[in-house]
Structure formats: C-alpha cells, structure tokens
Amino acid sequence: MKLRQKVIFLAITPLILALCAIALAVRHQANTLAQQQRDTIQQAYLASKEAELEHYVTLASHSIARLYKSGLKDQATMDEAKRILGSLSFGDDGYFFIYDLQGNALMHPRQPELVGQNLWELKDQNGTPTIQRLLKRAQEGGGFERYYWVKPSSHKPAPKLGYVVLMKDWGWMLGTGIYLDDVDRALAKVDTQQRANIQSTMLWMAAIAIAAALVVAGAGVALNISELRVADAKLKALAQRVVESQEEERARLSRDLHDGISQWLVSIKLQIEAGIIRLGNLHNGSKGDGPGAGAVQCAAAQAVFEHAAEQLNNVLGEVRRISHNLRPALLDDLGLAAALSHLAEEFRLSSAIPVRFTAEGSTEDLPEVANTVLFRIAQEALTNIERHAGAGHIDISLSGAQRAVTLRISDDGHGFDADGIAVHPKRGIGLRNMMERMEAIGGQFSITSSPAGTILLAHVSNES
C-alpha cells in the first residue's frame, strides 16, 4: 500500500469506526426507548380498557338496579334482569355474562349453548380454572382477571381481560370482558412502526457514513493530485536545475581549462620551443661567434625556461583549485574542520567578504558521507550568500559533541522568505538540495531568515 493510500485509509477508518459506534449506541438507545414507549402505551391502553370495563359493569348494574333493589328473588324478576343484561352489548364481542356461585352458566348471549351447564372445572389452554378464578375474584369484592376464552367473532381462543362483581342477594356473578388480541395487534403495529423508524435511522446513518467516507476519500484524492502536481513541478524544476548545474559546471570547467590551463600550456610550449631555439643558436654560435655571444644565448635560454617553470607552477595550482572544487583533498586527508577552514579562506579571497571560521570539539567520528554533506551544504550556503544576501560579514562555526556535530552558518544580509522559497516549485533549488542531503543521512536542517540576517543550522548524529 502506497503512502497516500495509507493516509486516506487512516483518515477514513477512524471516521467509519466512530460512525459505527454512534450507530450502535443510537440503535441501543432507540430499542430501549421503543420498549419503554411500548410498555407505556400498553399500560395506558390497558388502563383505559380497565376503566371502560368498570364503567360497563356499573352501567349494567344500574340497568337492573330497580329490580335488584326491589328485594324480590322470584324467578320472573331474575329472568327480567337476565333479559335486560342479555340485550346489552358493546361491539361484536362485547357482552355480559352471569354465573351462580356453583359455576353454573345462567346467561351467555354469545354462547347460549353454555347456559345451564356447570363450568366449575372448565380450564383454559394454559390449564387455568377460569370460572373458579372469576368467582374467587368476585367474592373478594370484584376486580379484573385475565384468562383465555373463545372469541365469538373468530371462534378461536383469545386472551381476555374480564371484570366481575358479586350480586350477593341473588347469588350471581355479573361480569364482562374485552378480548386483548386487538390490544396485541395495536402493540404489534407500534412495534412494526418503531422497527421501521430504527431501520430508517440506521439507513440514514449508513448513508451519512458512506457520504462522509466518500468526501474524505475525494478530498484525499484531490489533495494527492494537487500534491502530486506540485511534486511533479518541483521534480521537473529540480531535474532542469540539475541539468543546468551540470551544464554550468561543464562550462566553468571548460572556461577554466581554456582560459587558464590551456593558454598557460600553449605559452609554456612556445617558451620551451623558444628555449630550444636559443639552445640551438648557442650550439651553432659556439662555432663562429665569440665566447661573449654564447653566454648571452645561455642566459636568454635560462630565463625562458625559468619563466616556463613559473607558469607550469601556475598550471599546477589551477589544477589543484579545480580538483579542490570538485572534491577537496583536505576533506579526506585532514578532516571536515580543515576543509571548511580552507573553504572559508578561499571564499574570503575570491569574494572580499570577511569570513570567520571557528571549530570546537571533535568531528573525527563523523561518517565520510556526513562530512561530504556538511561540506557541500557549506559550499551551497556561501554561494547563495554571495549571490543573493548582500552580506557584509559571515560566521561559520563547527561544534562537535559526544554524539553529534552541528554546523552553523550566519550572515548579516537582508534575508529572504524561507518558507515561501521552500514551497516555490521554480525557486529555492539549492535550499531544497541542502534539505534533501540532510534527510538522506538522517540529519536535522533548519534555516531562519529576517531582515537582520540568516542563520543556517545542520545537525548530524555520529551514528547517522
């Protein structure tokens, strides 16, 4: 995986994980809230049904209150009361029923076949003795009881909430009930809606997560493309600069060879030829001329050869100078401090800018590649100072500690925008070269510049 892909992956992964954690937390809270809401709805619904049943039984009691309070217990009065109660209903499955205290069905409008039967031992599908529990609840003062009973509209057992009261004077249990399957369907509908809402929320969060990941990925790709373009521009500029540097170096070497060494060698060649001619004349003159003419020819030949030897020494000095610029022998023979001292002195002589060089500590343990890098950085820094800084004084210091060496170069020039130059694709090639050289050996490089001057620091560990 490439670096830019790793960056995008590391940017998207925490986002996806955070959104997943949020989604799980929201789902958990939504489920908890849905369950609480369901319980609240169920309690409120059942409470309303219980109040409704209680009111129904109260109305039924009031409908036969005249007969019940008359004190009559004859069969005709009781049959009239049964007729009135049997005519009362609420909905297809809402009716009243009457049992005596022995469990005999006295009235059941929706299941008349049960009238006259003793249902004391009747049990529902859960094995609960239904009539016994209803009679017990009525004898305890009345109240609610849950049980299963055949629903008239569907002819199938369904959960039912019953409410019964005791009519003690007649020995009756009067009651009614509401089937709870409607309540269950209503709660199931609420559950379905809540699940749909939770699923919709999860889908929205998933869509947001995907959109956020795409935005991050798109931004990363756009940034990579932008950085890639800048890097390509810098690389092209660097390649062009390298080519230009090579051509400049070749042109400089060509000028040095042509203007200096070549001309001196031609001059030496001519002087040697002139000396040879004079020596030939001296040999020929020894036969015809006097002794004084030979001495003159010998002195002239000696002067020619001495001048040729002097120019030959100049050629050797020029060769050493060119060789030193390519790679100073002092760096290999005497070390970094001596090479920098020689570089500072040569720069002072060539540019007429005062340079003060100081060295302290030991730099002998520094690797050869680090010595070369620090020397090239010093060369590049001095070249930039001469071309751009307009400095009046330069300080170079080399300090060696137990495990590190630091090169510090400062000048009192007018400074420059270091950050702007560093990111400009067509400028600051030398500055980037210095940075890249230090990065290659694991060193630290920094440069600060202001109108008061510029300070360059290069720090290298002995273990680099």
Side-chain angles (χ1 to χ4, degrees):
M1 185 181 292
K2 296 182 179 179
L3 178 59
R4 58 173 63 94
Q5 294 173 342
K6 291 181 180 179
V7 171
I8 295 176
F9 177 77
L10 292 176
I12 294 177
T13 300
L15 175 64
I16 298 299
L17 293 177
L19 290 175
C20 289
I22 293 173
L24 292 176
V26 170
R27 184 180 181 86
H28 174 72
Q29 293 296 328
N31 288 330
T32 302
L33 181 61
Q35 185 61 40
Q36 293 174 351
Q37 184 179 4
R38 186 184 191 280
D39 295 340
T40 301
I41 294 174
Q42 184 178 22
Q43 292 173 4
Y45 201 68
L46 290 177
S48 67
K49 293 298 182 182
E50 290 175 354
E52 184 180 353
L53 287 177
E54 192 171 356
H55 292 158
Y56 287 156
V57 173
T58 301
L59 290 174
S61 299
H62 288 167
S63 67
I64 62 171
R66 178 181 57 84
L67 298 175
Y68 185 71
K69 292 180 180 180
S70 67
L72 299 176
K73 299 182 180 180
D74 58 287
Q75 191 64 37
T77 301
M78 293 182 179
D79 288 343
E80 177 64 15
K82 292 177 185 177
R83 186 190 65 77
I84 294 173
L85 293 173
S87 64
L88 299 176
S89 64
F90 47 94
D92 295 337
D93 299 315
Y95 57 90
F96 295 91
F97 54 84
I98 300 175
Y99 289 84
D100 63 17
L101 301 182
Q102 288 74 39
N104 295 309
L106 302 180
M107 185 198 74
H108 206 295
R110 297 296 188 272
Q111 293 177 291
E113 69 275 6
L114 297 178
V115 176
Q117 295 185 24
N118 186 285
L119 303 179
W120 180 264
E121 298 295 336
L122 179 67
K123 296 181 179 180
D124 63 11
Q125 63 186 33
N126 293 330
T128 302
T130 305
I131 304 303
Q132 293 181 27
R133 294 185 60 177
L134 289 173
L135 287 171
K136 182 180 179 182
R137 180 68 64 185
Q139 291 171 352
E140 291 175 351
F144 299 95
E145 190 68 34
R146 287 178 179 244
Y147 57 96
Y148 277 84
W149 197 267
V150 176
K151 188 176 182 179
S153 61
S154 65
H155 304 289
K156 294 180 180 179
K160 188 175 183 179
L161 176 65
Y163 182 77
V164 294
V165 294
L166 181 65
M167 303 184 70
K168 188 175 182 180
D169 293 345
W170 288 355
W172 284 2
M173 175 185 69
L174 172 63
T176 187
I178 294 178
Y179 290 93
L180 298 178
D181 55 344
D182 295 336
V183 178
D184 293 338
R185 281 196 296 271
L187 293 175
K189 186 177 180 180
V190 171
D191 292 339
T192 301
Q193 292 176 345
Q194 290 172 341
R195 284 194 296 269
N197 291 335
I198 293 174
Q199 185 177 4
S200 176
T201 301
M202 293 298 103
L203 290 176
W204 273 106
M205 294 194 70
I208 292 173
I210 293 173
L214 291 176
V215 169
V216 172
V221 171
L223 180 62
N224 284 334
I225 292 175
S226 176
E227 292 295 328
L228 186 60
R229 289 176 178 174
V230 173
D232 287 342
K234 290 181 179 179
L235 185 60
K236 290 179 180 178
L238 181 61
Q240 182 64 29
R241 178 60 180 169
V242 169
V243 173
E244 292 176 356
S245 299
Q246 290 177 344
E247 293 301 325
E248 290 177 359
E249 186 67 17
R250 289 174 180 174
R252 186 183 65 80
L253 289 175
S254 177
R255 287 194 300 270
D256 290 343
L257 292 175
H258 181 271
D259 298 340
I261 296 177
S262 177
Q263 292 182 4
W264 278 337
L265 290 178
V266 170
S267 176
I268 292 170
K269 174 178 177 295
L270 294 176
Q271 291 179 33
I272 292 175
E273 289 176 350
I276 293 173
I277 292 173
R278 291 182 179 276
L279 289 177
N281 292 335
L282 176 62
H283 177 71
N284 295 329
S286 62
K287 297 179 180 179
D289 298 333
V296 172
Q297 292 293 335
C298 183
Q302 182 178 359
V304 169
F305 283 115
E306 288 177 352
H307 188 265
E310 182 180 354
Q311 287 189 324
L312 188 59
N313 286 331
N314 292 335
V315 170
L316 293 176
E318 185 68 12
V319 170
R320 283 195 297 269
R321 184 186 66 80
I322 295 174
S323 175
H324 179 77
N325 287 335
L326 295 176
R327 179 171 178 84
L330 289 176
L331 188 62
D332 297 326
D333 299 336
L334 300 180
L336 179 61
L340 290 177
S341 178
H342 183 72
L343 177 65
E345 181 63 21
E346 282 191 340
F347 181 81
R348 184 186 65 80
L349 294 175
S350 63
S351 65
I353 300 176
V355 181
R356 184 168 65 94
F357 174 77
T358 59
E360 59 181 8
S362 175
T363 62
E364 297 177 355
D365 296 333
L366 203 62
E368 181 179 350
V369 64
N371 284 331
T372 304
V373 167
L374 291 178
F375 182 81
R376 294 305 181 192
I377 287 176
Q379 275 186 319
E380 185 70 31
L382 292 176
T383 301
N384 290 339
I385 292 172
E386 182 180 10
R387 290 178 179 176
H388 311 294
H393 187 271
I394 302 173
D395 284 322
I396 302 176
S397 65
L398 183 68
S399 59
Q402 184 176 2
R403 293 188 177 182
V405 173
T406 301
L407 174 65
R408 184 181 187 275
I409 302 175
S410 63
D411 65 78
D412 57 357
H414 49 67
F416 64 98
D417 182 9
D419 295 333
I421 292 294
V423 299
H424 197 285
K426 296 183 178 181
R427 300 177 62 188
I429 301 298
L431 183 59
R432 282 194 293 275
N433 285 342
M434 289 189 280
M435 293 179 179
E436 291 170 0
R437 286 177 184 271
M438 291 300 296
E439 289 177 359
I441 62 172
Q444 299 175 1
F445 180 86
S446 66
I447 186 167
T448 57
S449 186
S450 68
T454 302
I455 299 176
L456 180 150
L457 290 175
H459 182 82
V460 182
S461 172
N462 289 343
E463 298 176 356
S464 298

